[in-house]
Amino acid sequence: MAAAAGEPKKIIIDTDPGIDDAMAIFVALRSPEVEVIGLTTIYGNVYTTLATRNALHLLEVADRTDIPVAEGSHVTITKGTKLRIADFVHGADGLGNQNFPPPEGKPIDMSATDFLVEQANLYPGKVTVVALGPLTNIALAIQQDPSFVKNIGQIVLLGGAFAVNGNVNPAAEANIFGDPDAADIVFTSGADVLAVGINVTHQVILTDSDRETLASSNGKFAQYLLKILEVYFNYHHDAYSTKGVYLHDPTAMLAAINPSLITYVEGAVRVQTNGITRGLTLLYNKQKRFAEITEWSDQPSVKVAVTVDAPAVLKLVLERLME
Ligand SMILES: O=c1[nH]cnc2c1ncn2[C@@H]1O[C@H](CO)[C@@H](O)[C@H]1O
């Protein structure tokens, strides 16, 4: 594969691994266009303690224990402890019920939020955060350091269901539902945000036959993922009528790596934080100038992905995991 032109883009992956997180992390580690400078962990697919353990484990599988892991928040930004954990999607261990041995490594002695703030300050405008779980750590960084929103290069997040049904319930997508208050802080922060929602990721499906293609590779990532994918396939088989699994996190990762794979629109996004539509993401395209001053007035614009070159994403995922 040709090396990326220029310096690779520095990325921090905020993650709750998670089967599709594992795929996305491996894709990033095999992508010359980016340099993974750290993983930060969060609850979502698993509790934060297990997310940290899984992040360390995945870096050991990849022989990349040089990459630091910083543990993130165990509670929502409003200190909520009643978390919705998607173990029914990923298995009790988050990685397909494989009972992998515990990692040898440890997280660094710094919180995810402190690490995010530190790295954004160290490389102003140069770090992209790829957020694959609920947005608590990112919102905490925004609250902790007023210069974070201008120092961070871009925040590419997997989250939201823009003008489509959610996957937790008809209103809400899982990552936004996990901490709607944090999500609203991120969307209204003024940072350069690109949201890749399930309106886009539901177009990128790894089918049974793609899984067989993956199985034809002796590559360590392909062989590892085959083991953990079984649980993810079973869940999709039960919950959806698609012939495969959605590649949520790998799609968001590739949108960060190669923005030409998606198209987006711009506008203000707000998140519903209570009631039956808690977690709903709504995009205001700013086509109409409303006279009345409301919670929508003067909100900064973010980017919301609307189309994806699904065959190209799938091809890249397979290529990079099969090397
Ligand atoms: O049905 C579901 N409920 C909860 N979480 C899910 C479901 N399907 C996928 N994910 C997880 O949430 C993110 C995308 O919303 C992905 O990280 C995916 O693994």
Side-chain angles (χ1 to χ4, degrees):
M1 191 187 310
E7 283 279 291
K9 184 153 63 169
K10 292 185 190 335
I11 67 169
I12 297 172
I13 310 174
D14 189 72
T15 176
D16 55 342
I19 295 168
D20 56 327
D21 298 72
M23 294 182 85
I25 292 167
F26 289 162
V27 166
L29 295 177
R30 282 275 163 86
S31 293
E33 303 91 337
V34 294
E35 176 196 359
V36 180
I37 62 169
L39 303 188
T40 52
T41 64
I42 191 63
Y43 59 86
N45 296 324
V46 292
Y47 287 99
T48 304
T49 306
L50 187 48
T52 303
R53 179 184 149 137
N54 288 351
L56 291 163
H57 161 76
L58 291 168
L59 291 176
E60 287 176 10
V61 169
D63 269 323
R64 290 302 308 273
T65 52
D66 55 303
I67 298 173
V69 175
E71 185 159 88
S73 184
H74 295 256
V75 295
T76 69
I77 196 136
T78 57
K79 307 273 192 292
T81 52
K82 254 184 67 192
L83 308 174
R84 181 180 183 278
I85 300 300
D87 51 359
F88 49 91
V89 181
H90 300 271
D93 66 352
L95 295 172
N97 292 328
Q98 293 297 306
N99 294 311
F100 293 115
E104 284 167 19
K106 296 231 173 324
I108 58 172
D109 198 13
M110 189 186 236
S111 72
T113 298
D114 288 347
F115 182 76
L116 287 163
V117 166
E118 179 197 68
Q119 296 299 310
N121 277 307
L122 205 51
Y123 308 107
K126 296 255 187 287
V127 179
T128 298
V129 180
V130 182
L132 304 176
L135 293 164
T136 319
N137 295 331
I138 323 296
L140 286 169
I142 290 168
Q143 289 186 336
Q144 181 170 313
D145 178 5
S147 59
F148 182 77
V149 296
K150 76 167 163 36
N151 283 340
I152 197 69
Q154 191 175 39
I155 299 166
V156 178
L157 65 94
L158 182 267
F162 294 91
V164 298
N165 277 161
N167 57 2
V168 170
N169 59 47
E173 179 278 332
N175 286 343
I176 304 298
F177 188 81
D179 196 343
D181 301 280
D184 196 55
I185 289 168
V186 172
F187 281 121
T188 58
S189 67
D192 181 352
V193 173
L194 167 65
V196 181
I198 59 174
N199 47 301
V200 160
T201 59
H202 278 185
Q203 297 171 43
V204 186
I205 295 170
L206 183 89
T207 63
D208 280 315
S209 104
D210 297 324
R211 181 158 62 152
E212 279 164 33
T213 305
L214 202 58
S216 71
S217 162
N218 292 324
K220 76 174 165 192
F221 290 156
Q223 287 306 316
Y224 177 92
L225 290 170
L226 278 173
K227 287 191 261 180
I228 68 173
L229 272 167
E230 188 69 29
V231 164
Y232 200 52
F233 267 83
N234 289 341
Y235 173 73
H236 282 71
H237 184 79
D238 291 342
Y240 298 99
S241 37
T242 48
K243 291 196 169 35
V245 299
Y246 296 128
L247 294 185
H248 301 288
D249 294 341
T251 302
M253 181 59 69
L254 282 165
I257 292 172
N258 180 358
S260 74
L261 291 165
I262 57 134
T263 65
Y264 60 81
V265 293
E266 292 186 73
V269 170
R270 300 289 324 240
V271 181
Q272 174 63 276
T273 54
N274 54 50
I276 61 165
T277 52
R278 179 176 160 82
L280 179 85
T281 46
L282 194 57
L283 169 71
Y284 162 39
N285 62 16
K286 303 196 176 179
Q287 297 296 301
K288 177 166 188 206
R289 291 179 295 278
F290 296 102
E292 192 186 351
I293 304 292
T294 69
E295 292 88 340
W296 293 93
S297 309
D298 298 324
Q299 292 294 350
S301 286
V302 298
K303 303 180 176 89
V304 174
V306 284
T307 69
V308 58
D309 185 346
V313 168
L314 189 66
K315 183 163 174 279
L316 275 168
V317 168
L318 289 174
E319 269 172 21
R320 293 192 174 181
L321 295 176
M322 290 173 67
E323 269 167 21

